[in-house]
Amino acid sequence: MSDADNLKRLAAAQALEYVRSGMKLGLGTGSTARHLVDLLALRMNDGLEVVGVPTSEATRAQAESLGIPLGTLDEHPVLDLCIDGADEVGPDLTLIKGGGGALLREKIVASAAKQMIVIADASKKVEVLGTFPLPIEVVDFGVASIRRGIDRAARAAGCHGLLTLRRRPDGHVFVTDQGHLILDAAYHSIANPTALAAELSTVPGVVEHGLFINLASRVILAGAGGVTVIDRA
């Protein structure tokens, strides 16, 4: 296991200290969340009892393969806890998420949870969001027009940068679990995430964006010096 994977696993293990039997638990998507699901299965073998609500089909398949009981948000509309990773973590725990392509379901699940814990390696903590391209999920109709709307919205919030249609490694267009496309916005610096989020939400054809504002209640960062836990003020 690489050093980065070791740190991700360390953060995931720390997050499981907040999980109690009987919880309805949102299960995140991505490389760090995969460690969480693996470790959760081990805890359940030792007697922990939870029901998981996955944020993607990939997480669903992993959890099912490990025997973790799963439900849906229709069955469990209020979750006790959601644990997920992040691509960037700002000083006020505003996040950029969606590198794995599951931002819509991730935001729905996080919004349904009483608490959201974010797990990441320490390199994801930044002073200003935006080095990681912001994922923006859009419908597959009129993408050129949607691009223009996003550009106008971003400029109104003081941002500008190249929009790139996400593709899979084989070159085909990436399609989300909900059948949408993703435009990755290279803004480099997002000085006012709240303003940008508000502007993007007005663009017809934008389904959701990867700015998670006031959702993370706790962030667990694992680095060379150990684990740091940051609670939202």
Side-chain angles (χ1 to χ4, degrees):
M1 191 180 297
S2 69
D3 289 344
D5 274 327
N6 280 327
L7 294 177
K8 292 172 183 179
R9 197 170 184 86
L10 187 61
Q14 182 68 38
L16 283 176
E17 295 300 314
Y18 298 95
V19 177
R20 301 288 181 267
S21 278
M23 279 188 166
K24 308 298 186 295
L25 185 64
L27 302 176
T29 295
S31 58
T32 310
R34 282 196 292 272
H35 288 292
L36 172 78
V37 175
D38 283 341
L39 293 172
L40 177 63
L42 293 176
R43 286 279 308 277
M44 296 189 74
N45 289 338
D46 292 333
L48 181 71
E49 296 182 358
V50 300
V51 173
V53 174
T55 55
S56 67
E57 294 306 308
T59 298
R60 177 184 300 280
Q62 180 193 6
E64 285 179 341
S65 73
L66 295 171
I68 297 173
L70 299 179
T72 68
L73 279 182
D74 290 317
E75 296 166 332
H76 310 289
V78 179
L79 305 177
D80 297 292
L81 181 62
C82 172
I83 305 176
D84 205 347
D87 299 300
E88 284 188 343
V89 179
D92 60 352
L93 304 195
T94 293
L95 316 171
I96 286 182
K97 287 181 51 57
L103 63 132
L104 176 58
R105 290 192 186 183
E106 287 174 335
K107 190 172 283 189
I108 293 171
V109 171
S111 298
K114 296 175 184 177
Q115 286 189 308
M116 179 190 188
I117 294 179
V118 174
I119 50 177
D121 66 85
S123 69
K124 301 298 175 65
K125 184 75 166 63
V126 298
E127 289 303 314
V128 179
L129 296 176
T131 298
F132 189 93
L134 175 67
I136 304 171
E137 190 162 338
V138 302
V139 299
D140 63 354
F141 175 82
V143 176
S145 179
I146 297 169
R147 281 177 178 267
R148 293 185 65 201
I150 291 172
D151 282 337
R152 287 194 298 268
R155 285 196 299 272
C159 296
H160 64 277
L162 183 66
L163 290 171
T164 303
L165 180 64
R166 187 178 297 187
R167 295 183 179 276
R168 301 185 330 213
D170 62 8
H172 289 87
V173 173
F174 179 89
V175 179
T176 72
D177 287 341
Q178 297 302 119
H180 301 134
L181 310 180
I182 289 182
L183 295 172
D184 289 306
Y187 294 141
H188 305 294
S189 177
I190 302 173
N192 191 336
T194 300
L196 179 59
E199 292 290 345
L200 290 174
S201 296
T202 69
V203 179
V206 169
V207 180
E208 193 50 87
H209 53 76
L211 289 168
F212 281 50
I213 299 171
N214 295 328
L215 285 172
S217 50
R218 177 174 289 126
V219 171
I220 298 174
L221 300 172
V227 174
T228 301
V229 178
I230 306 170
D231 290 323
R232 179 150 54 94

